[in-house]
Amino acid sequence: MSINKNQFADGLEIMRRPILPLARLAMLLYLTGPFETVEELLAELVEPIETGGRNYEQPGQFLQEFLSPLRLMESLKNARPPAARILDENQDPLDPMEGLELLISQQALTMELEKINSLLCRPCGCKLCCIGPEDTLAQEYFEIPLTEDESRLFALSVVNNDLSRKSLPADEPPVTINGRPFYEGESRIYHWRSGWSMVLPRHTSCPALDRETGGCRIYPDRPEVCRRPQIFPYVLERQPSLDIEYEGRVLQTFIRQKKLLAVWDCPYVKTLKDEIADYAEACELEPVFRENKA
Ligand code: SF4
Ligand code: SF4
């Protein structure tokens, strides 16, 4: 299928006016202004603002959608406990202001890119995320990680036994089902040592895929992994092994990365490489394009 950039107009419209330049300005205004809450600041932002070379017609309204991550900055004024522990690449703690900006950036971009992804995916008519590997690919199967609850969304046979729970999909020799490697034959749900997943061997598809329309029959309830964009923020990397106890609770730890990752297998990523690089630059992130299903 040939793809014309005009088909991506709705997604590109958002990419040309990313949240981050405006969010950074809002953080500065909040911290230097007389505002107690972020809502008070947003109520004042009624005039158009130009920042980072982008024009935002109704900045307060635009930022409302991202209120939840933006509220994190209230912790700097109200002496609230930190939301997370943010470290640099050498595992030294970052200045709280910089750490908070990165945390807000990660959360706000996750929200924005979920929307962009769904607008860019639709016109492609592509099912790559929902089917097993094509014959041209070396991989024998694709794996869709699931939570235990999500595994119940699919009418597939389930392999949940001592062997599967002790094994990983990449183990050699592989787990066998009826004498054949698990990745030959039908799609199934597995409970591995690492958790639950749906395995899609070659020539199979997710049972929720409507083969005729290419749509997902459980779209509103689809698993978390299916909501992840093919362009996604890697501003921070979660590091559970570095979590610490803080005032009787676990404080999650993240490492600064400041990258934007894009999966090269995806047709809209290939088509919009320059636009994705521009978006990353506006967000002050390094764009990284990488193969996923090769
Ligand atoms: S649940 Fe929906 S989006 Fe996820 S793989 Fe299946 S068909 Fe695709
Ligand atoms: S590879 Fe890209 S275009 Fe294809 S289904 Fe996945 S997100 Fe959509």
Side-chain angles (χ1 to χ4, degrees), residues 1 3-16 112-126 219 229-232 260 262-263 266-273 275-276 279:
M1 178 186 180
I3 303 177
N4 178 329
K5 282 193 184 180
N6 293 334
Q7 293 171 280
F8 299 122
D10 292 344
L12 286 175
E13 175 72 21
I14 303 178
M15 290 180 77
R16 289 193 190 103
E112 183 168 77
L113 282 164
E114 185 176 326
K115 198 169 171 192
I116 290 171
N117 179 68
S118 101
L119 289 169
L120 297 181
C121 174
R122 232 170 278 154
C124 291
C126 164
Y219 191 78
Q230 299 297 301
I231 313 165
F232 54 99
L260 183 83
V263 178
C266 172
Y268 66 69
V269 170
K270 280 201 173 90
T271 307
L272 303 176
K273 183 167 190 255
E275 289 79 358
I276 293 166
Y279 178 85

Side-chain angles (χ1 to χ4, degrees), residues 67-180:
L67 200 51
S68 162
L70 289 173
R71 273 198 187 120
L72 290 172
M73 66 178 127
E74 291 175 2
S75 66
L76 286 177
K77 271 195 181 176
N78 302 327
R80 288 194 204 139
R85 192 162 81 109
I86 316 290
L87 309 179
D88 68 12
E89 298 74 2
N90 300 318
Q91 301 188 4
D92 292 324
L94 283 181
D95 164 74
M97 172 81 185
E98 186 188 353
L100 200 61
E101 185 196 312
L102 295 177
L103 189 62
I104 292 171
S105 300
Q106 174 76 27
Q107 293 187 7
L109 277 187
T110 300
M111 293 167 73
E112 183 168 77
L113 282 164
E114 185 176 326
K115 198 169 171 192
I116 290 171
N117 179 68
S118 101
L119 289 169
L120 297 181
C121 174
R122 232 170 278 154
C124 291
C126 164
K127 306 180 185 82
L128 194 62
C129 291
C130 313
I131 60 173
E134 292 171 353
D135 290 334
T136 51
L137 296 178
Q139 261 173 275
E140 299 281 356
Y141 64 94
F142 291 152
E143 196 190 357
I144 299 182
L146 302 169
T147 64
E148 186 171 357
D149 282 349
E150 288 169 348
S151 72
R152 299 192 189 98
L153 289 167
F154 304 96
L156 289 175
S157 49
V158 176
V159 178
N160 179 13
N161 54 37
D162 287 347
L163 178 61
S164 73
R165 290 193 299 271
K166 272 194 296 195
S167 308
L168 293 171
D171 283 352
E172 285 294 341
V175 167
T176 55
I177 308 286
N178 301 328
R180 294 165 66 193

